[in-house]
Amino acid sequence: MALRGVLLMPQLSECRGVPLVGRRVTIRNRSFIRLGANNVVEDGAEIQGLSREGISFGDQVSIGAQTMIRPSSYYSREIGVGLSVGANSSIGPQCYVGCSGGITIGENVMLGPGVRMFSENHNFEGSDDIKSQGVAWSPIVIEDDCWIASGVTITAGVTVGRGAIVAAGAVVTKSIPPRAIVAGVPARAIGSR
């Protein structure tokens, strides 16, 4: 893992330490990616760097096996905004991070396995076929010290407040206040920390 990290380092925009890089990792447009110290990218992860603001990971960030990070839309063909992940945060295995509209993840955030985030949505108001109507971007913000449990879906325009917890399988379509605990489809407050 360290040898793969050493080979990757000179191709990145910035890298403050040797990352540990698993097998079958795909990293495209590497010059748009910045890594802090002590990062881990597990087997089979895919990171596409091409984006307006780039892809940035703080120190001690881990990216789980088979996670996909995609900042540019296949439908609109526009170059997306990008992703910023704060120090000591982790993205669990098999997550999908669709950051074309921009996603900011704070420090000490835990994303469980299979979390899906979409900072774009299909336009559908017109009578044209759905694909030709394009997409609308709206950023997602996950503030510091949040736990997003397994299988959660977070849609465009949502802010998850500092210290919030989102229960497994929830679908988050509206912003969550700090320290709230939410669950369900759609997610609703069930308590607070």
Side-chain angles (χ1 to χ4, degrees):
M1 290 180 82
L3 177 58
R4 283 187 288 271
V6 167
L7 295 172
L8 173 67
M9 288 175 66
Q11 301 171 43
L12 300 172
S13 170
E14 179 184 337
C15 189
R16 294 193 309 270
V18 177
L20 299 179
V21 179
R23 296 184 185 128
R24 299 174 312 283
V25 169
T26 302
I27 301 177
R28 294 187 176 95
N29 304 108
R30 297 171 180 195
S31 64
F32 290 84
I33 299 172
R34 296 178 300 279
L35 293 181
N38 303 316
N39 283 229
V40 177
V41 183
E42 294 181 351
D43 295 348
E46 174 190 317
I47 303 171
Q48 296 183 16
L50 181 62
S51 52
R52 296 175 188 179
E53 296 177 11
I55 306 294
S56 176
F57 301 101
D59 294 343
Q60 298 182 9
V61 170
S62 63
I63 301 164
Q66 299 177 353
T67 286
M68 291 191 282
I69 297 173
R70 295 185 172 174
S72 295
S73 171
Y74 292 110
Y75 298 110
S76 69
R77 303 284 188 217
E78 293 183 53
I79 295 174
V81 176
L83 171 68
S84 175
V85 180
N88 303 311
S89 290
S90 59
I91 300 173
Q94 298 180 339
C95 289
Y96 181 86
V97 181
C99 49
S100 55
I103 294 179
T104 302
I105 297 172
E107 296 183 355
N108 300 304
V109 171
M110 297 183 298
L111 301 181
V115 170
R116 297 166 303 276
M117 295 185 286
F118 303 94
S119 61
E120 75 175 16
N121 201 359
H122 293 279
N123 295 322
F124 56 88
E125 297 299 323
S127 60
D128 295 339
D129 65 87
I130 194 81
K131 191 171 181 181
S132 68
Q133 293 185 55
V135 297
W137 291 347
S138 189
I140 293 171
V141 176
I142 300 175
E143 296 179 349
D144 297 345
D145 189 35
C146 291
W147 173 26
I148 313 299
S150 177
V152 168
T153 298
I154 300 175
T155 61
V158 164
T159 295
V160 178
R162 181 184 181 95
I165 296 173
V166 182
V171 176
V172 182
T173 60
K174 295 183 179 173
S175 292
I176 298 169
R179 302 189 63 78
I181 301 171
V182 302
V185 180
R188 291 185 171 90
I190 60 169
S192 63
R193 290 178 64 197

